[in-house]
């Protein structure tokens, strides 16, 4: 018997047998904006989708799953593992791919599918990051797969006609590396010709190839019954090496086709793993299973024909499942027939034995040629369609823009040429055994991604996910993912790890470089589902002071003048809720639509630009006071509601626009009459411009030009305290720059030190020196939280202890130090003598009605003296000050006087927070 081509290259080249055919639209497809929706097909285009279930799904899937495996690999599996383990392997392999088939059927029946197959499913379900990374790997796998099939076909042809001892005993074709490359180039050009003409030519060719393969398969089944028992000479490569023992028997040179005999069946039931004569490596269950599993892939071929099906939602499930069941039956039936009629030596030493026992030997060779050529063409045309889809989606920018071009019939000819060129480059590598394993792992990654997409859609519980195919659960998706992952590492753990790392790298690149898509993000649906579940579990009745954290509502009139305050408050939220609130005056009854809906994008862009973790809540009200009340009542959800209101101070400081140039964190322009060139080129934010002298610092001018009055401003403070909300007033943050504050020049007299000053005493009540009331402790808590933030950890807390004349300074200092020790707050204590010479003017009506006042009728001289006292202690000057905010007077007629006192107290102090706490926030308990 003559020498046969070793199975090695067949077996490895057949590892990529995915028919990734995706038909383009019938007409030219116009380019669309990045991430935009695909163009709807015209009725004329839809009329061309006339492939039935059999021609559009069953045939491509069958050819992809059979390929050369049925001719050259089935005997290897039975010979090494035995009939029992071979059937077990097929059961496990088909269980794994069946889980993916169920996921494919579910996704494909959940809406209209565009051309794109697995890439389209994954990208539209998991988003552009997963879709783009998996799509690119899918493209590379198809390119390499096409080259592998071409090389496999070349080796089959050379093995038959290229050597004197060839199968037919004649020399027709010369052999050698360059000759093989020439033959491969010729085959690739043939595939290119078919792909350039269009997918409809390939669809017709696949039917002819299908008939050939089915006929050859029929002759194989007939041969088991028609051919008489015979002795077959084994290939010389299988008999070349004698056994290690020189006195023992040499390797057999012949084997028997016995026909159906019970002894033959009994000899083939158990496993008998030996050395593979084509590779010289010892076989095991894992290696044989990995080889066999390569022949069970190809399940995506039908779904990738979705653009040409009459009814994709019904054809894909029925056609794919039919093909899977049919191939499963054929593989197992062949295994049984082989185990009953061929002895173990024949199966282990001659992988091409089906040619010898066939009624006409060339039939099997014709089947190998036909199936391999079909697989090479399908991988080439599939790669071109994947590249075309990636180019249309603009996930890689201008790099793939030429691949968008199509012919008048809609064939993406540029994508075909690029794919063909890459296939030709891969052919120069010659033997691609290593790449074959990587390609198989790439396909398994795609299958796992499809299962993940279906699992994510199922877990998200989105109302619009209601596929007509319901024979799946999240358990089948998980089984599919786990099965694919196990197979990846079973085939090659190193390549599997490298492939996953490559996918993650692509995912990150696309995430940061690609434009935002309009496909929808499954991550948002999953996050919503989980957040809702945990919010329901967050019971406000179980709140405890040990786990208190600030949940802040910061009122912002115009972000252009509030950037410094917004970034600073982000540091003291301590992983709590942070909401940017804004009130726009107006009456919805007089407006044609809600004016706030168009503003959310600008506010969310602001959050992204400043890199803060905050929500945005806007409201429409007839007054600022009512608007703030609305936000305090409705902001948040469940146990996540604001407990602290922060307002910008009410003064006459001129604002400074910090958002003129979005590319810079701060810009000093304040006059919008002459907008900068950068603003005209990059209109990122759409907030009202600031005008000199007509806006207050943080809460003055509103969107429609009205100004908040002092009386209403203090009323807002009083309202928040009535609602048991802590209140913070922020002053002089219009010039606050976090970077400059935390990185002072080392050449300064204080060597770059950063200080935070804390005055936990009511400076408007000189007769009150308590440091342990609720408000003082809340003030200490906020200062401590700020000191816990990464950038502020190097800051030193300076706590000022006001000591009246006649009291022991040391005793008061020790008492406060003990309190700080119990509260685990690290701070330096600085005693400050209280100047009793300051005249206090007490009013007769300090307490009005039943609502006590925390303020007194103080003279301006006293307030100026206290202000000077604070400034005198600021050596070196602090980055920010924390002061005690007294409760507003009960008499609303004194609101203006109250605000005036606060203004004098904090004048020229730099960034200052006036803080009033109403709820306990500190505990010494464990």
């Amino acid at each position: 018997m003559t020498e046969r081509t070793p199975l090695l290259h067949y077996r490895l080249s057949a590892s990529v047998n995915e028919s990734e055919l995706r038909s383009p639209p019938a007409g030219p497809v116009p380019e669309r904006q990045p991430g935009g929706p695909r163009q709807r097909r015209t009725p004329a285009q839809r009329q061309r989708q006339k492939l039935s279930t059999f021609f559009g799904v069953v045939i491509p899937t069958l050819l992809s799953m059979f390929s050369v495996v049925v001719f050259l690999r089935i005997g290897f599996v039975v010979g090494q593992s035995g009939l029992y383990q071979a059937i077990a392997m097929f059961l496990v392999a088909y269980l794994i791919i069946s889980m993916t088939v169920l996921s494919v059927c579910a996704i494909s029946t959940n809406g209209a599918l565009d051309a794109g197959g697995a890439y389209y499913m994954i990208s539209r379900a998991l988003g552009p990051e997963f879709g783009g990374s998996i799509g690119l790997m899918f493209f590379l796998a198809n390119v390499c797969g096409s080259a592998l099939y071409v090389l496999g076909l070349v080796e089959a042809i050379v093995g038959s006609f290229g050597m004197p001892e060839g199968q037919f005993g004649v020399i027709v074709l010369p052999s050698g590396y360059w000759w093989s490359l020439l033959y491969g180039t010729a085959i690739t050009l043939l595939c290119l010709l078919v792909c350039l003409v269009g997918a409809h030519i390939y669809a017709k060719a696949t039917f002819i190839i299908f008939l050939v393969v089915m006929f050859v398969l029929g002759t194989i089944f007939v041969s088991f019954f028609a051919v008489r028992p015979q002795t077959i000479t084994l290939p010389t490569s299988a008999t070349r090496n004698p056994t290690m023992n020189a006195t023992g028997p040499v390797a057999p040179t012949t084997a028997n086709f016995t026909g159906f005999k019970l002894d033959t069946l009994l000899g083939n039931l158990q496993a008998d793993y030996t050395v593979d004569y084509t590779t010289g490596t010892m076989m095991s269950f894992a290696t044989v299973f990995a080889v066999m599993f390569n022949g069970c892939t190809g399940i995506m071929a039908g779904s990738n024909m979705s653009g040409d099906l009459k009814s994709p939602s019904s054809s894909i499930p029925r056609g794919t499942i039919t093909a899977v069941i049919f191939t499963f039956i054929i593989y197992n039936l062949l295994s049984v027939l082989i185990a009953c009629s061929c002895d173990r030596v024949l199966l282990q030493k001659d992988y091409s034995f089906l040619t010898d026992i066939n009624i006409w030997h060339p039939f099997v060779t014709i089947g190998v040629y036909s199936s391999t050529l079909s697989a090479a063409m399908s991988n080439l045309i599939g790669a071109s369609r994947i590249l075309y889809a990636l180019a249309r989606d603009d996930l890689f920018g201008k790099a793939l823009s030429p691949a968008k071009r199509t012919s008048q019939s809609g064939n993406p000819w540029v994508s075909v040429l690029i794919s063909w060129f890459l296939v030709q480059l891969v052919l120069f590598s010659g033997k691609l055994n290593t790449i074959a394993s990587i390609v198989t792992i790439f396909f398994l990654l795609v299958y796992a991604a499809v299962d993940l997409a279906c699992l994510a859609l199922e877990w998200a519980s989105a109302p619009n996910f209601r596929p007509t195919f319901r024979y799946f659960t999240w358990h089948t998706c998980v089984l599919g993912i786990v099965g694919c992952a196990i197979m990846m590492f079973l085939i090659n753990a190193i390549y599997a790890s490298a492939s996953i790392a490559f996918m993650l790298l692509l995912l990150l690149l696309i995430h940061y470089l690609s434009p935002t898509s309009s496909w929808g993000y499954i991550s948002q649906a999953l996050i919503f589902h989980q957040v809702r579940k945990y919010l329901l579990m967050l019971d406000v009745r179980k709140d405890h002071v040990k786990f208190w954290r600030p949940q802040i509502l910061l009122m912002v009139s115009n972000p252009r003048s509030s950037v410094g305050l917004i970034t600073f408050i982000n540091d003291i939220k301590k992983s709590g809720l942070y909401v940017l609130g804004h009130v726009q005056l107006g009456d919805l009854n007089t407006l044609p639509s809600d004016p706030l809906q168009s503003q959310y994008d600008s506010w969310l862009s602001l959050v992204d630009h400043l890199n803060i973790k905050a929500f945005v809540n806007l409201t429409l009200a007839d007054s600022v006071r009512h608007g703030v009340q609305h936000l305090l009542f409705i902001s948040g959800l469940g146990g996540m509601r604001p407990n602290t209101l922060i307002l910008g101070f009410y003064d006459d400081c001129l604002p400074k626009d910090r958002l003129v140039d979005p590319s810079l964190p701060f810009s000093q322009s304040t006059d919008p009459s002459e907008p900068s060139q950068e603003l005209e080129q990059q209109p990122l934010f759409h907030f009202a411009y600031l005008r000199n002298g007509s806006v207050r610092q943080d809460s003055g001018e509103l969107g429609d030009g009205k100004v908040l009055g002092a009386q209403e401003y203090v009323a807002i403070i009083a309202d928040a305290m009535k609602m048991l909300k802590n209140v913070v007033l922020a002053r002089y943050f219009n010039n606050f720059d976090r970077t400059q504050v935390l990185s002072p020049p080392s050449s300064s007299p204080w060597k770059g030190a950063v200080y935070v000053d804390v005055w936990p005493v009511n400076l408007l009540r000189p007769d009150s020196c308590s440091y342990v009331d609720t408000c003082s402790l809340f003030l200490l808590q906020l200062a401590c939280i700020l000191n816990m933030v990464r950038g502020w950890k190097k800051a030193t807390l300076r706590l000022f202890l006001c000591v009246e004349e006649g009291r022991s300074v040391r005793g008061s200092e020790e008492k406060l130090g003990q309190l700080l020790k119990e509260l685990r707050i690290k701070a330096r204590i600085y005693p400050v003598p209280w100047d009793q010479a300051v005249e206090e003017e007490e009013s007769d009506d300090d307490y009005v009605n039943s609502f006590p006042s925390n303020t007194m009728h103080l003279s301006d001289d006293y307030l100026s003296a206290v202000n000077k006292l604070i400034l005198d202690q600021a050596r070196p000057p602090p980055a920010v000050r924390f002061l005690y905010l007294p409760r507003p007077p009960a008499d609303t007629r004194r609101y203006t006087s109250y605000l005036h006192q606060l203004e004098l107290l904090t004048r020229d102090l730099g960034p200052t927070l006036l803080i009033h706490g109403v709820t306990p926030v500190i505990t010494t308990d464990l």
Side-chain angles (χ1 to χ4, degrees), residues 167-240:
Q167 181 174 342
F168 301 106
V170 294
I171 301 177
V172 179
L173 299 174
S175 60
Y177 170 78
W178 293 106
W179 285 108
S180 296
L181 181 61
L182 178 63
Y183 303 149
T185 302
I187 296 172
T188 308
L189 286 174
L190 175 63
C191 297
L192 173 65
L193 212 58
V194 173
C195 296
L196 284 178
V197 173
H200 61 284
I201 296 296
Y202 171 76
K204 294 177 181 178
T206 53
F207 179 63
I208 298 175
I209 295 175
F210 171 75
L211 293 178
V212 172
V213 172
M214 289 299 103
F215 176 77
V216 173
L217 192 59
T219 64
I220 291 175
F221 278 99
V222 171
S223 299
F224 283 108
F225 298 92
V227 175
R228 295 179 180 180
Q230 56 182 286
T231 299
I232 299 174
T233 302
L234 299 177
T236 57
S237 59
T239 61
R240 186 172 301 152

Side-chain angles (χ1 to χ4, degrees), residues 174 184 225 289 344 350 371 477 481 498 527 563 642 687 734 780 800 890:
F225 298 92
F289 183 62
R344 182 64 65 99
D350 186 0
S371 59
C477 300
I481 295 172
I527 291 171
V563 171
F687 302 118
N734 53 343
L780 289 173
F800 292 95

Side-chain angles (χ1 to χ4, degrees), residues 484-751:
C484 291
I486 292 175
M487 279 308 308
M488 286 168 52
F489 286 91
L490 193 62
I491 292 173
N492 193 306
I494 296 178
Y495 293 162
S497 302
S499 300
I500 295 174
F502 180 58
M503 181 197 69
L504 294 177
L505 177 62
L506 289 175
L507 189 148
L508 292 175
L509 289 176
I510 297 174
H511 175 74
Y512 288 106
L513 300 180
S514 68
T516 303
S517 73
S518 60
W519 307 334
Y521 290 83
I522 189 64
S523 58
Q524 296 299 304
L526 289 172
I527 291 171
F528 176 87
H529 184 266
Q530 293 301 108
V531 167
R532 182 194 66 85
K533 180 174 70 175
Y534 287 113
L535 274 177
L536 291 173
M537 298 170 62
L538 190 61
D539 192 346
V540 294
R541 296 169 295 183
K542 298 179 181 179
D543 283 347
H544 194 278
V545 65
K546 288 190 299 184
F547 308 110
W548 179 91
R549 67 182 70 240
Q551 305 199 74
I552 297 169
L553 171 63
L554 172 63
M555 297 304 303
V556 180
S557 172
N558 193 325
R560 294 187 178 278
S561 60
S562 307
V563 171
L565 179 59
I566 293 172
T567 54
F568 175 77
I569 298 303
N570 186 65
D571 284 339
I572 65 172
K573 67 180 186 302
K574 189 54 180 176
S575 303
L577 180 67
Y578 183 20
V579 180
L580 300 181
H582 173 72
V583 179
Q584 179 166 327
L585 297 188
D587 185 357
L588 196 59
N589 291 328
T590 62
L591 298 172
S593 62
D594 183 5
L596 301 178
Q597 297 302 318
S598 61
Q599 299 181 21
Y600 273 99
D601 285 345
S602 291
W603 283 87
L604 295 176
S605 297
L606 173 73
V607 170
D608 294 337
H609 175 64
L610 298 179
N611 193 27
I612 61 174
K613 298 178 181 179
F615 299 95
V616 174
N617 211 340
L618 312 180
T619 189
L620 189 70
D622 57 355
S623 69
V624 177
R625 181 182 182 183
H626 289 164
V628 175
Q629 290 176 357
H630 294 168
L631 294 177
L632 287 174
F633 278 125
I634 67 174
S635 291
L637 199 63
M640 293 187 65
R641 294 185 179 277
N643 55 29
T644 304
L645 173 67
I646 299 182
L647 303 171
F649 197 77
Y650 192 92
D651 58 17
D652 294 322
C653 293
L654 295 180
K656 294 186 178 181
D657 195 336
R658 303 297 189 185
L659 294 177
V660 169
D661 184 3
S663 64
L664 299 175
F666 298 103
S667 176
Q668 300 301 321
S669 174
T670 60
D671 188 1
S673 60
E674 297 180 358
S676 65
Q677 184 179 359
E678 291 84 356
L679 180 63
E680 294 177 357
Q681 295 176 351
Q682 222 173 356
L684 180 61
F685 308 111
H686 303 284
F687 302 118
Y689 293 117
L690 304 177
R691 299 187 181 278
N692 291 333
S694 64
V695 64
R696 303 184 186 277
Q697 176 187 333
D698 291 310
S699 58
E701 185 177 275
L702 298 172
D704 59 0
K706 293 185 178 180
V707 177
L708 175 66
Q711 190 80 7
E712 186 178 7
Y713 177 80
V714 180
I716 292 173
I717 300 174
D719 291 342
M721 294 181 183
K722 291 178 184 178
M723 299 167 67
L724 297 181
K725 306 295 184 183
N726 308 302
V727 178
V728 178
L729 306 183
R731 190 176 190 187
Y732 294 122
F733 280 88
N734 53 343
N735 293 320
F736 184 83
D737 186 339
R738 185 179 185 273
T739 303
Q740 295 179 1
V741 167
L742 295 179
S743 301
S746 57
S747 58
S748 63
W750 301 281
K751 298 181 180 180

Side-chain angles (χ1 to χ4, degrees), residues 782-800:
L782 286 189
C784 179
I785 289 174
L786 179 65
N787 198 216
M788 295 169 67
V789 177
R790 178 181 302 176
W792 292 86
K793 285 184 178 180
K794 64 180 181 180
T796 301
L797 294 185
R798 297 190 300 191
L799 185 59
F800 292 95

Side-chain angles (χ1 to χ4, degrees), residues 283-302:
M283 293 292 100
S284 64
F285 181 89
T287 55
V288 174
F289 183 62
V291 169
M292 182 275 302
F293 186 81
N294 294 334
C296 300
T297 55
I299 55 176
M300 297 291 185

Side-chain angles (χ1 to χ4, degrees), residues 253-270:
T253 59
T254 61
N256 296 319
F257 171 71
T258 64
F260 294 102
K261 285 187 177 181
L262 181 59
D263 292 341
T264 303
L265 174 62
L266 294 177
N268 289 325
L269 290 179
Q270 304 299 328

Side-chain angles (χ1 to χ4, degrees), residues 803 833-840 862 865 869:
V803 182
W834 196 250
D835 187 4
Q836 294 296 329
V838 177
E839 181 181 0
E840 303 175 6
Y862 166 78
L869 176 67

Side-chain angles (χ1 to χ4, degrees), residues 114-190:
D114 204 344
Y119 161 69
Y120 187 83
M121 295 180 190
I122 297 170
S123 62
R124 269 51 180 181
L126 297 181
E129 294 89 353
F130 262 102
S133 57
I134 292 294
L136 184 59
M137 297 177 71
F138 214 6
F139 166 71
L140 296 176
N142 277 273
V143 167
C144 294
S146 181
L148 287 168
Y149 281 121
V150 170
L151 286 175
L153 182 55
V154 168
E155 291 186 7
I157 295 174
V158 171
S160 301
F161 302 101
M163 294 179 291
E165 65 274 16
Q167 181 174 342
F168 301 106
V170 294
I171 301 177
V172 179
L173 299 174
S175 60
Y177 170 78
W178 293 106
W179 285 108
S180 296
L181 181 61
L182 178 63
Y183 303 149
T185 302
I187 296 172
T188 308
L189 286 174
L190 175 63

